[in-house]
């Protein structure tokens, strides 16, 4: 029955291509939902897609069905009524067009590629002097000496054949080719230096009282896609989650997405923590550094905002690839902070700010953040 | 395989007749794969089979559905069984298979079907692969999908009509007035091309199925003959029409066929095939197969109840299975006593939260009427050609939906009208109704418009 399975593999692969086409087509729609979050299993994401139906001539909704079971008139089907009324079974006996939902596994790398194409993101050029060369060899070289276990049969045979023909010993009626020592060729490891680069992402989020569930969802979605993209650009990547209200602390991923604090907002606390981590653990010599900060734009005081600007200008920007600030619109936020940043840094390429008013604005914000290829 | 011999002996003793039955034992994954191909391993390549498999595999994985067997209408009848079935399940399934095999052999609705369909599918697959290799899979698949989206536009009674016409005219195919008449040469040319393509001995001409005699409902067949499409597209339209017609009787006999097979597996097993130690396992398995889940009327359950009721009424059940499809079977057997006993009710859309459907009337006439209309024409809208312009003319192809109180999904109908328009390369119209209001959907040069119509 191997034949059938083999056939089925081809059709399944084709179906997955069709689905990937749909995912690609609807990518910006997926980018505005939380659906893909928490569906990560290692290298892949499973994406729920509705079964693809061919259009057909079919009936609309004014078709009456027939059911089966106990119950009085007016009882809900499939539900226990007040008395002993219990209807069971339903539906027309005709063809039911069930809404199947399928899940398709897409590799994170492929998802990143789709996003890159959709948002026209440039590939990131890791900062030159941070690039470490690693010696990742591949077995695609050939040499004249080697152990028998590495003998390249085809190459060896070819040499022998050439020699036999050239020396006039070859007889088409009796095509015997005997390799001699000189004919033997062996596989060899060809060194191919590959840039090895690591990166660290800092996701800093304002969790003060004014950041509601919707605002956090938006942050969450942005963080997911940013991670997906950066992961595809670097061989190894670390992600640090920082939350802050008046104080900042490092948390794990789960806490980052679910924590709800309340209180004042002191943005500089987060930047200081970030800076400290860069100084102690993530040296710019070894890491490409991406701090992302998300808030609704309110800060404790204008003095703290000045402190933030100083920190960014004097401490962070010299050390990082790019500093990103995403301002999520909330019912209470003033949206002032973005303006404060745009003032002094308007022309600086190393800092990118974006405002997101709703989920629909997520792809555009991501494009702003990642569109510079830094 | 002693279980098979045992089952065959008791099935024959009970009066069932069938072509030879060949059992094949497979793993569940292979049975799922075969089911995705509609039972035939030799189908053309298509993403749709892959999707079908994903659905089945997921249902299997989650324990929502389990396929015990697959029976293929073929001579010999081929039955695929899941290797992991228990001995009792295997006996039950085999008895069930003999029920289906008897049905395929004796039901009038299957008399005109092609019993060498495995090879025919293979031929179709090779033709489509050949075209794909030449023109690219994308292009061929796109047209194939378009053709398949029209595969409900056939006459499900077409093969019957043709067979009857042939019998009444003394063994000669009826060539009077049908749109495919006079097209015999064209049809033959296409078939010859199919055969030549593979350079081997041609299959004999198909039996009744797909031989001339036009029906106004056979829009797909009409397009295959008269639409101004390229030769490879004509092949695909013809293949789609042929395969749709092959599957039509199965769609129209779901309840009676499953009912018949369930009736016999139950009778044969409890009539001696079952060991006393297996009774509880049998009851569990049988109850699972005939349980009705919310949202669905179980064809196994409805079918077996209908045969049991018919037998109690003193009707000849062998005759019933020979002449009826689902609609006529229900019309012949359902009466007030049956509706009451089976606790059937009409479902009405609910007004509560979630709009869950509610129980409506338990009036037997109302319920029977609904069953009949939902099953009539294989559960599909009846659409026929009102005016079919002569070949080569640029007249409009006018389709009429025979409205019976149920509206069409007009947005989907619009998409399909575009598809027909692209093939026909001329204006295409669909006359239908929304409620009482007449509607005229027109597609001209890719432009859709919806107007009121008288």
């Amino acid at each position: 029955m191997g034949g059938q399975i083999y056939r089925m593999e081809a059709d399944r692969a084709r179906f997955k291509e069709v689905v990937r086409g749909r995912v690609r087509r609807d990518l910006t729609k997926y980018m505005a939902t939380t659906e893909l979050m928490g569906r990560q299993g290692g290298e892949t994401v499973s994406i729920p897609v509705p079964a693809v139906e061919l259009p057909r001539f079919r009936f609309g909704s004014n078709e009456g069905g027939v059911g089966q079971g106990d119950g009085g008139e007016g009882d809900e089907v499939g539900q226990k009524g007040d008395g002993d009324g219990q209807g069971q079974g339903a539906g027309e006996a005709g063809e039911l067009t069930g809404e199947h939902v399928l899940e398709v596994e897409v590799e994170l790398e492929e998802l990143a590629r789709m996003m890159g194409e959709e948002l026209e993101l440039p590939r990131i050029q890791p900062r030159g002097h941070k690039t470490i060369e690693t010696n990742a060899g591949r077995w695609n070289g050939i040499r004249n000496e080697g152990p028998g276990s590495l003998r390249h049969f085809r190459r060896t045979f070819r040499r022998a054949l050439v020699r036999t023909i050239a020396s006039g010993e070859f007889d088409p009626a009796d095509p015997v080719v005997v390799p001699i020592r000189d004919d033997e060729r062996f596989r060899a490891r060809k060194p191919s230096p590959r840039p090895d680069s690591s990166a660290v992402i800092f996701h800093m989020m304002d969790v003060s009282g004014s950041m509601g569930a919707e605002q956090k969802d938006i942050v969450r979605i942005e963080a997911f896609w940013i991670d997906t993209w950066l992961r595809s650009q670097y061989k190894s990547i670390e992600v640090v989650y920082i939350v802050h209200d008046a104080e900042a602390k490092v948390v794990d991923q789960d806490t980052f997405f679910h924590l709800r604090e309340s209180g004042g907002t002191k943005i500089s606390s987060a930047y200081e923590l970030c800076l400290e981590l860069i100084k102690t653990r993530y040296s710019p010599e070894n890491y490409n550094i991406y701090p992302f900060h998300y808030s609704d734009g309110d800060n404790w005081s204008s003095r703290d905002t000045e402190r933030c600007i100083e920190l960014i200008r004097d401490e962070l920007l010299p050390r990082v690839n790019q500093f990103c600030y995403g301002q999520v619109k909330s019912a209470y936020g003033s949206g002032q902070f973005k303006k404060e940043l745009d003032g002094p840094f308007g022309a600086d390429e190393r800092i990118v700010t974006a405002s997101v008013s709703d989920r629909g604005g997520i792809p555009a914000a991501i494009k702003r953040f990642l569109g510079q290829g830094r | 395989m002693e279980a098979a011999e045992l089952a065959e002996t008791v099935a024959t003793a009970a009066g069932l007749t069938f072509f030879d039955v060949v059992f094949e034992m497979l793993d569940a994954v292979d049975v799922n794969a075969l089911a995705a191909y509609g039972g035939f391993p030799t189908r053309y390549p298509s993403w749709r089979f892959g999707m079908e498999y994903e659905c089945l595999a997921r249902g299997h994985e989650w324990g929502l559905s389990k396929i015990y067997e697959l029976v293929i209408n073929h001579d010999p009848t081929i039955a695929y069984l899941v290797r992991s079935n228990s001995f009792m399940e295997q006996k039950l399934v085999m008895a069930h298979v003999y029920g289906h095999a008897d049905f395929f052999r004796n039901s009038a609705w299957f008399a005109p079907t092609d019993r060498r369909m495995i090879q025919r599918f293979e031929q179709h697959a090779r033709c489509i692969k050949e075209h794909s290799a030449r023109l690219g899979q994308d292009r061929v698949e796109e047209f194939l999908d378009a053709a398949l989206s029209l595969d409900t536009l056939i006459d499900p009674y077409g093969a019957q009509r043709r067979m009857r016409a042939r019998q009444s005219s003394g063994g000669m195919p009826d060539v009077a007035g049908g749109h495919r008449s006079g097209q015999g040469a064209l049809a033959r040319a296409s078939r010859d091309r199919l055969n030549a393509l593979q350079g081997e001995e041609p299959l004999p001409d198909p039996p009744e199925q797909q031989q001339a005699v036009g029906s106004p409902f056979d829009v797909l067949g009409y397009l295959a003959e008269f639409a101004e499409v390229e030769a490879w597209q004509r092949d695909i339209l013809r293949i789609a029409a042929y395969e749709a017609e092959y599957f039509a009787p199965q769609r129209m006999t779901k309840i009676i066929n499953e009912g018949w097979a369930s009736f016999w597996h139950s009778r044969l097993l409890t009539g001696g095939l079952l060991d006393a130690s297996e009774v509880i396992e049998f009851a569990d398995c049988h109850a699972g197969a005939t349980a009705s889940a919310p949202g669905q009327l179980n064809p196994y359950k409805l079918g077996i109840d209908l045969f049991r009721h018919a037998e109690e009424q003193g009707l000849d059940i062998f005759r019933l299975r020979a002449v009826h499809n689902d609609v006529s079977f229900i019309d012949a057997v359902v009466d007030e006593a049956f509706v009451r006993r089976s606790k059937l009710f009409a479902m009405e859309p609910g007004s509560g939260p979630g709009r869950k459907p509610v129980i409506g009337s338990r009036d037997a006439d109302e319920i029977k009427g609904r069953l009949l209309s939902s099953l009539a024409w294989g559960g599909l809208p009846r659409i026929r050609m009102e005016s079919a312009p002569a070949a080569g003319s640029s007249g409009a192809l006018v389709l009429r939906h025979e409205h019976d109180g149920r509206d069409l999904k007009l947005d989907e109908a619009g998409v399909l009208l575009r598809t027909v328009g692209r093939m026909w390369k001329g204006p295409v119209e669909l006359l239908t109704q929304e409620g009482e209001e007449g509607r005229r959907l027109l597609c001209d040069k890719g432009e859709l418009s919806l107007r009121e119509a008288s």
Side-chain angles (χ1 to χ4, degrees):
Chain A
M1 285 288 102
Q4 279 155 23
I5 291 297
Y6 177 74
R7 266 294 321 277
M8 185 47 84
E9 283 313 310
D11 286 337
R12 285 174 79 185
R14 189 76 184 159
F15 165 61
K16 282 179 182 162
E17 257 174 61
V18 170
V19 168
R20 280 194 201 103
R22 299 225 159 191
V23 171
R24 188 184 306 264
R25 200 187 62 195
D26 298 337
L27 190 70
T28 45
K29 200 185 78 197
Y30 282 105
M31 287 183 76
T33 69
T34 50
E35 247 174 293
L36 302 191
M37 251 59 43
R39 290 180 168 274
Q40 263 170 285
E43 300 292 292
T44 61
V45 190
S46 66
I47 299 184
V49 288
V52 192
E53 297 269 0
L54 291 180
R56 288 259 159 67
F57 284 106
R58 53 182 132 230
F59 292 116
S61 51
N62 59 344
E63 189 181 15
V66 174
Q68 191 172 23
D70 293 321
E73 201 169 324
D75 287 353
E76 264 187 15
V77 174
Q79 203 79 354
K80 264 216 153 85
D82 289 334
D84 57 350
Q86 188 180 11
Q88 194 217 21
E92 42 272 8
E95 214 162 304
L96 279 165
T97 48
E99 276 263 312
H100 294 284
V101 173
L102 296 168
E103 290 189 2
V104 176
E105 300 261 306
V106 177
E107 284 179 12
L108 274 171
E109 233 186 289
E110 189 174 352
L111 199 62
R113 198 160 52 235
M114 285 182 194
M115 175 168 69
E117 280 165 21
E118 181 68 32
L119 299 182
E120 297 172 350
L121 300 179
R123 291 198 68 80
I124 288 174
Q125 301 296 329
R127 290 183 298 170
H129 64 284
K130 269 88 205 171
T131 312
I132 306 160
E133 303 253 304
T134 54
N135 203 349
R138 296 182 55 173
W139 289 98
N140 56 3
I142 291 288
R143 62 180 174 193
N144 298 344
E145 272 91 36
S149 62
L150 288 178
R151 191 173 56 201
H152 195 304
F153 180 80
R154 199 155 46 84
R155 290 290 188 95
T156 303
F157 183 80
R158 200 163 71 191
R159 293 295 313 164
L161 186 63
V162 166
R163 181 183 47 77
T164 315
I165 292 172
S167 64
E169 289 166 31
F170 188 73
D171 174 11
D174 181 26
V176 177
V177 175
V178 183
I180 60 171
R181 178 69 192 82
D182 266 1
D183 297 328
E184 291 191 328
R185 291 294 179 276
F186 301 87
R187 287 170 210 277
R189 200 158 182 272
K190 213 176 183 178
S192 58
R194 200 187 294 165
D196 181 19
S197 47
S198 333
V200 58
I201 306 172
F202 291 94
H203 286 301
M204 296 176 271
M205 175 162 61
D206 174 5
V207 289
S208 62
S210 54
M211 290 284 286
E214 177 64 16
Q215 281 74 32
K216 284 194 197 134
D217 266 351
I218 289 175
V219 171
R220 202 177 154 191
I221 295 164
E222 283 196 30
F224 171 83
W225 288 100
I226 287 165
D227 287 359
T228 302
W229 176 251
L230 291 177
R231 266 176 215 285
S232 76
Q233 303 290 310
Y234 289 100
K235 235 180 110 190
S236 69
I237 207 154
E238 285 177 60
V239 185
V240 178
Y241 298 96
I242 294 173
V243 295
H244 73 88
D245 44 15
E247 274 176 68
K249 60 185 169 205
V250 174
V251 296
D252 61 23
Q253 185 180 16
D254 194 57
T255 315
F256 180 78
F257 288 128
H258 297 104
L259 189 73
R260 192 186 167 90
E261 302 275 291
S262 59
T265 314
K266 207 170 141 197
I267 294 176
S268 64
S269 63
Y271 294 178
E272 268 163 10
L273 181 56
C274 176
L275 179 63
E276 188 193 321
L277 286 167
I278 291 173
K279 282 180 174 166
T280 54
R281 286 179 52 194
Y282 300 103
S283 136
E285 298 302 312
N286 299 322
Y287 287 91
N288 290 275
I289 301 171
Y290 294 91
F292 288 84
H293 177 229
Y294 316 89
S295 87
D296 58 1
D298 266 346
N299 201 6
W300 168 255
S301 66
S302 54
R303 172 150 349 148
D304 190 64
T305 301
E306 277 167 31
R307 172 84 186 122
C308 290
I309 292 170
E310 275 170 35
L311 277 168
I312 293 174
R313 187 182 54 221
D314 302 334
E315 303 284 354
L316 289 172
L317 284 185
R319 294 183 164 87
V320 304
N321 289 42
Q322 176 173 300
F323 182 90
C324 295
Y325 173 68
Q327 185 161 286
V328 187
K329 192 175 174 184
S330 80
Y332 313 103
S334 63
Q336 188 61 33
F337 194 70
K338 181 171 180 292
K339 287 184 208 147
E340 304 280 355
L341 288 187
D342 286 346
F345 297 115
D348 197 326
E349 277 193 353
R350 293 170 300 173
I351 178 162
V352 181
T353 64
S355 55
V356 187
S357 49
D358 56 28
R359 290 176 179 218
I362 291 172
I366 291 174
K367 186 173 164 61
R368 272 185 70 81
F369 288 155
L370 303 176
Q372 299 203 54
R374 294 180 68 91
Chain B
M1 195 173 284
E2 51 175 308
E5 277 165 33
L6 210 61
E8 183 175 357
T9 312
V10 293
T12 309
L16 302 184
T17 53
F18 30 80
F19 300 119
D20 285 345
V21 179
V22 179
F23 289 100
E24 283 213 46
M25 294 288 175
L26 301 177
D27 290 333
V29 280
D30 289 313
V31 172
N32 282 338
L34 270 171
Y37 287 120
F40 293 90
T42 55
R43 304 291 293 274
Y44 50 75
S46 165
W47 60 272
R48 290 173 313 108
F49 299 129
M51 178 177 77
E52 199 57 43
Y53 179 78
E54 293 289 324
C55 289
L56 289 169
R58 213 150 277 276
H60 184 77
E61 193 182 313
W62 291 348
L64 298 175
S65 61
K66 180 179 174 187
I67 299 175
Y68 286 97
E69 42 77 26
L70 265 179
V71 193
I72 310 304
N73 167 35
H74 203 262
D75 183 9
T77 302
I78 298 169
Y80 298 102
L81 269 51
V82 181
R83 206 190 305 272
S84 61
N85 290 345
S86 73
F87 187 65
M88 190 294 300
E89 285 172 331
Q90 228 58 297
K91 283 195 287 191
L92 187 156
V93 166
M94 283 169 176
H96 192 86
V97 165
Y98 282 109
H100 281 309
D102 172 87
F103 193 86
F104 287 141
R105 170 81 191 257
N106 294 294
S107 164
W109 300 98
F110 284 91
T113 54
D114 189 342
R115 311 274 193 187
R116 293 186 60 186
M117 207 54 194
I118 290 183
Q119 277 162 279
R120 193 81 59 194
F121 275 130
E122 199 170 3
Q123 188 184 45
H124 293 171
R126 254 181 273 167
C127 170
I128 284 173
K129 280 183 203 159
E130 190 89 12
H131 289 318
S132 296
R134 203 160 43 84
L135 303 159
Q137 191 180 0
D138 289 344
R139 201 164 153 213
V140 170
E141 195 170 65
E142 191 189 335
F143 191 82
L144 178 63
D145 285 348
L148 289 170
S149 69
L150 303 176
D151 73 0
T152 58
L153 298 183
I154 58 164
D155 184 352
Y157 297 91
Q160 285 296 325
R161 287 191 222 280
R162 289 196 294 275
M163 187 167 75
R164 222 165 301 154
R166 191 161 100 157
Q167 282 161 353
S168 65
S169 65
M172 286 297 289
D174 183 8
V175 288
H179 68 246
R180 291 203 203 158
S181 60
Q183 288 299 313
L186 184 59
R188 194 164 303 278
S190 173
R191 236 185 346 262
D192 289 348
R193 194 165 58 243
L194 281 184
N195 285 324
L197 209 61
Q198 31 193 108
E200 60 180 53
E201 196 189 331
L203 278 170
D205 276 0
E208 306 304 335
Q209 201 187 316
Q210 211 71 2
Q211 298 264 12
V213 177
S215 153
F217 294 100
D218 189 11
V219 184
L220 186 56
Y222 184 81
L223 288 171
E225 301 307 330
F226 295 111
E228 292 196 20
V229 291
E230 293 174 43
W232 65 273
Q233 294 175 319
R234 200 176 299 288
D235 285 345
I236 289 178
L237 285 170
R238 200 182 293 275
I239 285 170
Y242 192 90
E243 296 191 358
E245 208 171 77
Y246 173 77
F247 284 117
Q250 306 196 9
R251 196 170 55 226
M252 302 196 31
T253 56
K254 182 89 181 141
I255 293 168
I256 187 171
N257 194 349
E258 290 301 352
W260 183 249
S262 301
F263 179 87
W264 283 106
H265 83 226
S266 169
R267 179 142 305 179
L268 297 182
L269 263 78
T270 55
L273 204 47
L274 209 55
D275 187 84
S277 67
E278 296 168 329
V279 169
I280 289 174
E281 193 194 350
F282 164 76
D284 183 37
C285 192
H286 178 78
T290 55
S292 39
Q296 250 163 328
L297 208 54
N298 184 339
Y300 295 74
K301 166 85 178 143
L302 187 59
I304 192 173
D305 286 350
L306 283 166
F307 273 113
R308 284 176 173 166
H309 186 70
E311 193 180 38
E312 282 170 28
Q313 306 292 305
L315 298 171
D316 178 355
I317 57 171
F318 283 88
R319 195 180 135 71
L320 287 174
R321 73 92 163 78
V323 302
H324 286 296
N325 61 22
D326 287 346
V327 158
S328 61
F329 184 46
I330 282 174
D331 193 33
V333 177
V334 171
D335 55 16
E336 206 164 340
F338 182 83
V339 170
R340 223 175 318 115
R341 232 168 92 183
S342 292
K343 299 177 177 174
L344 299 180
F345 56 79
M347 266 197 317
E348 304 298 343
S351 50
R355 307 200 120 266
K356 280 202 170 161
V358 296
I359 298 175
S361 156
R362 286 189 183 271
D363 176 66
D365 285 344
E366 164 77 19
I367 288 163
K368 185 168 173 176
R370 284 192 183 200
L371 279 176
L372 293 179
S373 73
S374 72
L375 291 167
W377 210 252
L380 297 166
R382 277 163 66 105
I383 295 172
R384 65 180 159 82
M385 288 177 285
E386 185 137 289
S387 81
S393 82
S394 57
L397 179 62
V398 182
L399 307 179
R400 176 177 288 279
H401 165 223
E402 296 183 355
H403 194 271
D404 58 0
R406 295 174 292 172
D407 296 348
L408 282 183
K409 270 193 176 165
L410 281 182
D411 49 344
E412 256 179 294
V415 173
L416 291 165
L417 218 55
R418 270 213 181 95
T419 304
V420 176
R422 269 199 304 276
M423 293 176 186
W424 181 244
K425 299 193 173 61
V428 185
E429 273 181 58
L430 174 70
L431 302 168
T432 179
Q433 277 172 247
E434 270 186 297
E436 300 295 309
E437 313 262 306
R439 291 280 181 267
R440 179 165 165 267
L441 196 58
L442 174 72
C443 177
D444 194 4
K445 299 186 179 70
E447 292 291 310
L448 269 183
S449 60
L450 180 64
R451 291 180 206 154
E452 289 185 17
S454 49

